[in-house]
């Protein structure tokens, strides 16, 4: 963490305030003619980012509300988010994003037993062959770092050995966490699939796994090089390659390309880019990111990602 003297902190706030004021006046999509510019200070920007996340979390009735909640948890609001989601349980336990609710409540649980209760709900959904959200269930278990066992592990092994598909890719991810042999090799092999959805799934899982294996890093670097420029898959590959440190010589170029994807890609790719760029953007980059907060509601996931970047940067200082 960078430590600033009181004088240095004041100078930083003044500099970023001036930069944000200029970009707000010139480029903010939410600005209207003759309307006063918002207070262009780091505190105001942080408050705006949090306000956007709260508005999305309480208004969306899709997985985007889960993404907003998780961004707020990462920003230190875990207790408030836990209380809100517990109060919403009567209306969300049968919703299309019920597994996301389990993830939020597992993440904010007060005890291991409480966490395991929500994990068990997700595991039960994965084992239910009639459940429409089995993919979301196993993805959630992977994101929580849960090692499946028993009936869930049996299903994971079955799906991991099946034909290439989204369930197969997710099962390989879960298999790697469970310590199953050759799971990482199988997941890496999907990077060369002819199916862009499978390349995306593999890259997404590898970004979460932070692989240190030189062979996996090499495969990621080759996959980035082979992917057509501007393809949405590229954002996932770039994100995974940067997270894994696949090739230090390519880092600067990959960062530039991922920043381009944030502003030009489709919304899923833009949201994916945010996960990695939040750790790479600096204070000087805030004026570029700030206008994304005021995109239309159809871009809510991008707005969540932008808020996540901004709050991560401000927390570092």
């Amino acid at each position: 963490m960078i430590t600033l003297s009181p004088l240095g902190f004041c100078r930083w706030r003044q500099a970023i305030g001036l930069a944000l004021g200029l970009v707000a006046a010139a480029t903010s999509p939410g600005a209207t003619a003759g309307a006063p510019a918002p207070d262009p200070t780091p505190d105001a920007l942080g408050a705006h980012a949090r306000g956007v996340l709260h508005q999305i979390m309480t208004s969306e009735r899709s997985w985007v509300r889960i993404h907003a909640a998780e961004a707020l948890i990462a920003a230190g609001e875990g207790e408030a988010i836990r209380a809100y989601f517990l109060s919403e349980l009567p209306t969300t336990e049968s919703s299309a994003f019920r597994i996301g609710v389990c993830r939020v409540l597992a993440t904010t649980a007060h005890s291991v037993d409480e966490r395991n209760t929500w994990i068990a709900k997700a595991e039960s959904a994965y084992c239910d062959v009639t459940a429409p959200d089995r993919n979301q269930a196993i993805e959630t278990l992977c994101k929580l770092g849960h090692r499946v066992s028993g009936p869930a592990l049996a299903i994971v092994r079955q799906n991991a050995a099946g034909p290439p598909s989204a369930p197969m890719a997710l099962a390989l991810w879960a298999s790697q966490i469970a310590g199953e042999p050759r799971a990482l090799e199988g997941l890496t092999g999907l990077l060369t699939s002819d199916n862009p959805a499978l390349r995306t799934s593999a890259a997404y899982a590898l970004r979460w796994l932070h692989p240190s294996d030189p062979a996996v890093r090499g495969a990621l670097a080759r996959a980035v090089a082979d992917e057509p420029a501007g393809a949405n898959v590229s954002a996932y590959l770039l994100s995974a390659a940067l997270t894994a440190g696949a090739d230090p010589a390519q880092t600067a170029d990959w960062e530039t390309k991922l920043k381009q994807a944030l502003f030009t890609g489709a919304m899923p790719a833009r949201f994916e880019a945010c996960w990695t760029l939040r750790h790479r953007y600096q204070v000087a980059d805030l004026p570029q990111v700030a206008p994304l907060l005021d995109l239309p509601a159809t871009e809510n996931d991008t707005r969540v990602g932008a808020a996540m970047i901004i709050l991560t940067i401000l927390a570092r200082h």
Side-chain angles (χ1 to χ4, degrees):
M1 176 180 291
I2 298 172
T3 302
L4 297 175
S5 68
L7 178 60
F9 181 69
C10 289
R11 287 175 176 169
W12 169 75
R13 288 169 66 87
Q14 290 169 355
I16 191 57
L18 176 60
L20 290 171
L22 291 172
V23 75
T27 64
S28 174
T32 58
D39 187 11
T41 66
D43 287 345
L45 180 60
H48 183 33
R50 289 179 188 272
V52 166
L53 291 174
H54 278 283
Q55 184 274 325
I56 291 173
M57 183 186 73
T58 56
S59 64
E60 278 279 0
R61 306 303 297 176
S62 70
W63 271 83
V64 182
R65 79 160 14 195
I66 303 301
H67 299 160
E70 289 175 326
L72 286 166
I73 292 168
E77 297 192 31
E79 279 302 298
I81 301 309
R82 176 178 182 273
Y84 177 78
F85 271 76
L86 285 173
S87 72
E88 289 275 289
L89 277 179
T91 60
T92 58
E93 282 192 301
S94 60
S95 68
F97 51 87
R98 62 175 182 146
I99 300 300
V101 173
C102 292
R103 192 162 80 212
V104 166
L105 291 173
T107 302
T108 57
H110 284 181
S111 67
V112 173
D113 286 345
E114 183 184 346
R115 175 181 169 87
N116 287 340
T117 296
W118 297 109
I119 286 176
K121 288 181 179 290
E123 197 167 75
S124 176
Y126 181 61
C127 293
D128 180 0
V129 295
T130 66
D133 45 9
R134 296 181 72 206
N135 284 354
Q136 289 93 333
I138 191 61
E139 180 181 330
T140 278
L141 293 171
C142 289
K143 288 182 175 180
L144 292 171
H146 177 65
R147 293 173 64 107
V148 294
S149 59
L153 179 57
I155 296 172
V156 161
R157 286 171 172 166
Q158 180 182 358
N159 286 341
S165 63
M168 178 257 212
L170 290 165
L172 287 170
W173 183 1
S175 295
Q176 175 62 19
I177 294 172
E180 293 288 289
R182 304 191 70 176
L184 188 60
E185 180 183 343
L187 194 58
T188 305
L190 294 179
L191 294 173
T192 58
S193 169
D194 292 335
N195 186 337
L198 290 179
R199 297 198 301 277
T200 298
S201 295
Y204 185 69
L206 290 170
R207 195 256 295 167
W208 275 86
L209 288 169
H210 297 264
S212 59
D213 188 313
V216 179
R217 288 175 168 175
L220 279 168
R222 290 190 296 274
V224 170
D226 292 342
E227 194 66 33
N232 284 320
V233 180
S234 179
Y236 291 85
L237 291 169
L238 288 164
S239 195
L242 283 166
T243 300
D247 184 356
Q250 299 291 325
T251 295
D253 181 55
W254 289 345
E255 278 191 19
T256 298
K257 290 178 178 177
L258 192 58
K259 289 175 181 177
Q260 291 172 349
L262 174 59
F263 292 94
T264 63
M267 188 165 62
R270 299 172 83 174
F271 185 60
E272 174 64 14
C274 290
W275 276 93
T276 296
L277 291 176
R278 65 183 174 142
H279 299 300
R280 294 177 178 272
Y281 268 128
Q282 302 299 320
V283 168
D285 299 308
L286 284 173
Q288 300 176 37
V289 180
L292 297 178
L293 292 175
D294 299 314
L295 289 172
T298 53
E299 286 278 354
N300 270 351
D301 248 344
T302 302
R303 298 173 72 207
V304 168
M308 187 167 57
I309 291 173
I310 290 166
L311 293 174
T312 301
I313 293 172
L314 294 178
R316 290 204 299 265
H317 296 276

